[in-house]
């Protein structure tokens, strides 16, 4: 089963320094019919102006991935971590029993990143932070494994979080095709970050998404297309 998500009908938060598209209920956008997809609770497409950002704030019992699309993302937290990531790089944080952190755009250009929150398989984990500086070319015309669950020893993803998920990214060249396999008992949420693609007869543009439940799909890039997908157990 496939369900197309039109980005023009998503929630939106515009605050001058911040312009966000909300795939699921978040902040000022609330839709009781659109709270989450399986264990995927938040996908925010955030655009942050230079010299601004999210001041220090708390999180608890959530697994968080931040995928940088463009610009520079500077993270700091109360565990002593401070790092700056750029295009195609990913940071992860297990908020667990509680963490304080900030996210800023200290660069000169617009920052765009995907903020992805995943419900953990248990509460009360020890807080943890890490990042991984993936090479862009490692996802060209193929799926690059980014993150997986701590129990998934068969995955090549370097990021391990406390949830039964698999996260991938790809940059598919115009005219090329790529399959994504979703087992009968699994589901996936695919985001077209940049570009335009056709998936099983459904046309998706930049920021559009597709819910995939219990079936395999083939993606054809109509233009160079940058995608992120989160695969998980069927809800």
């Amino acid at each position: 089963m496939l369900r197309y998500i039109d980005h023009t009908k998503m929630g939106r938060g515009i605050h001058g320094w911040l312009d966000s598209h909300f795939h699921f209920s978040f902040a000022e956008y609330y839709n009781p019919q659109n709270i989450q997809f399986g264990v995927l609770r938040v996908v925010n497409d955030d655009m942050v102006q230079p010299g601004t950002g999210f001041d220090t704030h708390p999180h608890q019992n959530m697994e968080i991935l931040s995928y940088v699309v463009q610009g520079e993302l500077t993270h700091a937290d109360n565990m002593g971590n401070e790092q700056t990531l750029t295009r195609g790089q990913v940071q992860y944080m297990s908020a667990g029993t509680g963490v304080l952190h900030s996210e800023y755009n200290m660069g000169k250009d617009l920052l765009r990143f995907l903020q992805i929150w995943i419900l953990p398989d248990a509460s009360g984990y020890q807080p943890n932070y890490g990042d991984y500086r993936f090479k862009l070319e490692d996802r060209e015309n193929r799926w690059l494994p980014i993150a997986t669950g701590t129990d998934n020893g068969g995955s090549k993803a370097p990021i391990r979080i406390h949830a039964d998920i698999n996260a991938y990214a790809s940059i598919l060249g115009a005219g090329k095709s790529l399959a994504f396999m979703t087992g009968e008992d699994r589901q996936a949420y695919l985001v077209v970050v940049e570009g335009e693609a056709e998936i099983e007869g459904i046309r998706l543009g930049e920021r559009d998404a597709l819910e995939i439940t219990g079936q395999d799909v083939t993606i054809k890039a109509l233009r160079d297309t940058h995608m992120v997908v989160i695969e998980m157990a069927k809800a």
Side-chain angles (χ1 to χ4, degrees):
M1 184 173 68
L2 305 175
R3 178 171 175 261
Y4 166 65
I5 313 296
D6 183 344
H7 82 276
T8 65
K9 297 179 181 179
M10 293 178 183
R12 192 78 180 270
I14 303 176
H15 303 283
W17 65 276
L18 172 67
D19 185 353
S20 297
H21 291 77
F22 303 132
H23 286 247
F24 304 101
S25 293
F26 191 87
E28 63 265 46
Y29 166 62
Y30 176 71
N31 178 351
Q33 304 302 315
N34 187 32
I35 301 296
Q36 65 195 78
F37 181 68
V39 296
L40 184 59
R41 174 62 188 86
V42 168
V43 177
N44 291 349
D45 191 327
D46 291 335
M47 290 172 287
V48 183
Q49 293 296 321
T52 68
F54 300 91
D55 292 332
T56 301
H57 58 282
H59 287 293
Q60 192 172 11
N61 292 320
M62 193 66 68
E63 304 293 294
I64 300 172
L65 301 173
S66 298
Y67 184 97
V68 182
V69 179
Q70 67 182 72
E72 298 179 1
L73 174 65
T74 296
H75 166 98
D77 61 46
N78 64 340
M79 295 179 285
N81 300 295
E82 185 168 350
Q83 298 289 340
T84 297
L85 303 181
T86 59
R87 179 170 171 81
Q89 299 176 348
V90 181
Q91 70 177 22
Y92 60 98
M93 187 169 64
S94 292
T97 54
V99 66
L100 296 170
H101 79 121
S102 62
E103 306 291 344
Y104 280 102
N105 177 7
M106 306 301 291
K108 297 179 180 180
D109 301 316
L110 181 73
L111 163 66
R112 180 184 172 200
F113 72 106
L114 297 184
Q115 187 180 166
I116 301 167
W117 294 11
I118 298 161
L119 298 170
D121 53 25
S123 60
Y125 283 112
Q126 181 73 22
N128 184 38
Y129 168 87
D131 53 61
Y132 204 87
R133 297 164 195 271
F134 298 97
K135 297 178 181 178
L136 278 176
E137 56 267 29
D138 287 346
R139 74 203 77 192
E140 290 180 356
N141 302 316
R142 69 183 187 93
W143 292 113
L144 171 67
I146 290 174
T148 191
T150 54
D151 295 333
N152 190 357
S155 174
K156 295 181 180 179
I159 295 173
R160 301 284 166 151
I161 66 172
H162 300 292
D164 178 14
I165 65 97
N166 293 285
Y168 305 89
S170 178
I171 298 177
L172 188 60
K176 294 187 178 295
S177 295
L178 185 64
F180 188 83
M181 308 298 183
T182 308
E184 291 185 2
D185 60 344
R186 307 288 289 183
Q187 62 187 32
Y189 194 81
L190 184 148
V191 179
V192 173
V193 181
E194 299 167 306
E196 186 178 16
E198 184 176 290
I199 305 176
E200 304 300 328
I202 301 172
R203 196 166 185 142
L204 288 86
E206 183 171 290
R207 293 193 174 89
D208 291 345
L210 189 68
E211 294 179 358
I212 306 166
T213 303
Q215 75 174 78
D216 302 336
V217 298
T218 299
I219 302 114
K220 181 179 180 181
L222 304 178
R223 295 185 283 128
D224 289 353
T225 300
H226 189 178
M227 301 173 289
V228 170
V229 62
I230 310 295
E231 185 268 353
M232 69 207 82
K234 188 185 294 185

